[in-house]
Amino acid sequence: MGRLSTHVLDTVNGKPAAGVAIALDALLPDGSRERVVDTVTNADGRTDQPLLSGTLPVGSYELTFAIGDYFRHLGTKLAEPAFLDLVPIRFAIAEPQGHYHVPLLASPWSYSTYRGS
């Protein structure tokens, strides 16, 4: 059974990022997009349920993390407009039964990701 999951880590404060809004969109071959799910991270910086599970549709996707709102909520002083506000990560699913974990490590000024396990 395939699965797509994520989590967000706040690298400034050294903790999981709770309350980050996340959108997952499927990027369609005609250039349009289709919203798959909207969710928010829990106290552990993860979503309560996998973003996708079962037989995963092969294709391109984009996760968008509202990291600017997260840091504003914490009271972090940000420039306006914030250097990083919405962080998009584009990736592809090629294995319908694979486990895809796409974490975000973020600060108000930088981010990184990788294919986790």
Side-chain angles (χ1 to χ4, degrees):
M1 183 163 110
R3 184 173 67 192
L4 171 63
S5 58
T6 189
H7 75 272
V8 184
L9 298 173
D10 174 342
T11 60
V12 171
N13 297 297
K15 64 179 187 175
V20 177
I22 302 170
L24 173 65
D25 291 316
L27 304 177
L28 304 177
D30 67 2
S32 65
R33 60 179 54 224
E34 180 179 298
R35 180 63 43 95
V36 177
V37 69
D38 286 300
T39 190
V40 177
T41 57
N42 59 24
D44 195 34
R46 299 176 183 275
T47 58
D48 290 332
Q49 302 295 322
L51 301 170
L52 294 172
S53 62
T55 301
L56 304 180
V58 170
S60 296
Y61 294 86
E62 184 174 274
L63 278 167
T64 304
F65 300 85
I67 206 67
D69 286 346
Y70 165 77
F71 283 109
R72 282 184 200 94
H73 179 75
L74 290 181
T76 306
K77 186 173 171 90
L78 303 177
E80 285 301 332
F83 180 69
L84 293 176
D85 193 21
L86 298 175
V87 173
I89 298 175
R90 287 192 175 195
F91 63 97
I93 291 176
E95 303 163 15
Q97 300 301 320
H99 177 202
Y100 290 82
H101 184 68
V102 184
L104 178 71
L105 290 73
S107 82
W109 313 279
S110 66
Y111 67 93
S112 64
T113 191
Y114 55 94
R115 182 176 174 184
S117 59

